[in-house]
Amino acid sequence: MTVAIDIGGTKIAGALVHPDGTMTATTRRPTPSGVDADGVMAAVTEVVAELSDSPLWSSAVRCGIGSAGPVDASRGTVSPVNIGAWREFPVQARVEAELAARGAGLPTVLAGDGVAMTAAEHWLGAARGHANALCMVVSTGVGGGLVLNNQLHPGPTGNAGHIGHISVAFDGEPCACGGHGCVESIASGTAIARWALAQGWTPADDASAAGVAAAAEAGDPVALAAFDRAGRALAAAIAATATLVETDIAVIGGGVAASGDTLFEPIRRHLASYATLSFVRDLQVVPAALRTHAGLIGAAAAATMLLPS
């Protein structure tokens, strides 16, 4: 059994995950707002306490923590953009202390949500059976992770595969990270909506990327151009990654990916112009398969892949 904890801006969830990916004792709490760092940690403590009441608690052999980022897995700290009270918060050490207090001194791994999603998709999702894969989350931001030679590759600080901050536009606009022309500044949901509005798109009622997607499906030329632009940026980054490390599949999840072919059609069309070498020409781009509880499955998968048996 693996103790899995999934920490995000809206909820903190936990479960005991079996070796086949099924879950027991699933629980969740809303992520507290308007509190200090310990106030947020109190919700994590409640989740751990509830898991420890399970009769299977003594069967746990490891713990995986998946968290919104930025993360520094080398230090066990997180500074989630959407949890303002946590800045360089030592979540791994705090969770380990809570586990030990309940009789479970377990080896623990911290993974960013992009790396956790990658581990989940490789274990039970769309990247299953692929030895080398790039998995991505395209949502408010753009994140990702890598599997190389069937091994999760988080890098020293847990941020390897962070495709959102590959620059794909030499003279592109500034990105929040400090760079220029990053994928995230073009293809995130926020960027898609911002660009469409700047080009004169008038939303019917929803000014988000979902609204742009609906308008694109209805044939709105500006909305279609916004998704074509995003798809081209993603295609360039996917091809660059595949060329560098020879991945053969790119799995894309997240809120923007829910727009389906509105996003995937331009990605695949533009990919033909970027993935031209023989060893990347057959690169697949597919939607993520896991949605419900993907964060918990990913936290467990990351722990299983990164910790010794």
Side-chain angles (χ1 to χ4, degrees), residues 9 21 40 62 122 135-136 156 191 215 235 239 270 284 306:
V40 178
R62 66 182 73 84
H122 184 259
C135 297
M136 305 170 59
H270 286 296
Q284 300 177 56
L306 295 174

Side-chain angles (χ1 to χ4, degrees), residues 102-113:
R102 289 164 177 80
L106 303 178
T108 302
V109 159
L110 170 64
D113 50 8

Side-chain angles (χ1 to χ4, degrees), residues 158-261:
N159 291 288
H162 202 336
I163 193 171
H165 296 290
I166 289 178
S167 178
V168 292
F170 181 71
D171 295 318
E173 63 183 85
C175 178
C177 75
H180 290 267
C182 293
V183 175
E184 185 170 293
S185 70
I186 299 170
S188 70
T190 306
I192 290 170
R194 182 176 64 244
W195 188 87
L197 289 165
Q199 299 303 309
W201 172 64
T202 302
D205 51 13
D206 183 357
S208 72
V212 181
E217 290 168 13
D220 184 285
V222 174
L224 285 166
F227 270 88
D228 185 77
R229 180 174 179 265
R232 184 178 182 185
L234 290 165
I238 290 167
T241 303
T243 302
L244 185 66
V245 295
E246 288 200 60
T247 53
D248 59 13
I249 190 169
V251 177
I252 304 178
V256 177
S259 59
D261 283 345

Side-chain angles (χ1 to χ4, degrees), residues 30-218:
T31 303
S33 59
V35 298
D36 63 8
D38 285 336
V40 178
M41 185 62 205
V44 180
T45 299
E46 290 176 8
V47 166
V48 174
E50 187 167 335
L51 294 178
S52 71
D53 289 336
S54 167
L56 294 174
W57 178 250
S58 61
S59 301
V61 296
R62 66 182 73 84
C63 174
I65 307 165
S67 176
V71 306
D72 185 340
S74 66
R75 298 172 58 218
T77 61
V78 296
S79 303
V81 172
N82 48 10
I83 305 178
W86 278 5
R87 289 296 171 266
E88 298 187 5
F89 184 76
V91 66
Q92 184 171 342
R94 293 289 297 270
V95 168
E96 287 173 342
E98 294 297 335
L99 294 170
R102 289 164 177 80
L106 303 178
T108 302
V109 159
L110 170 64
D113 50 8
V115 171
M117 175 264 193
T118 300
E121 289 293 330
H122 184 259
W123 183 22
L124 296 173
R128 188 173 187 175
H130 290 265
N132 301 287
L134 165 68
C135 297
M136 305 170 59
V137 179
V138 182
S139 187
T140 306
V142 178
L146 290 166
V147 170
L148 302 176
N149 295 324
N150 282 313
Q151 299 294 315
L152 193 62
H153 182 73
T157 67
N159 291 288
H162 202 336
I163 193 171
H165 296 290
I166 289 178
S167 178
V168 292
F170 181 71
D171 295 318
E173 63 183 85
C175 178
C177 75
H180 290 267
C182 293
V183 175
E184 185 170 293
S185 70
I186 299 170
S188 70
T190 306
I192 290 170
R194 182 176 64 244
W195 188 87
L197 289 165
Q199 299 303 309
W201 172 64
T202 302
D205 51 13
D206 183 357
S208 72
V212 181
E217 290 168 13

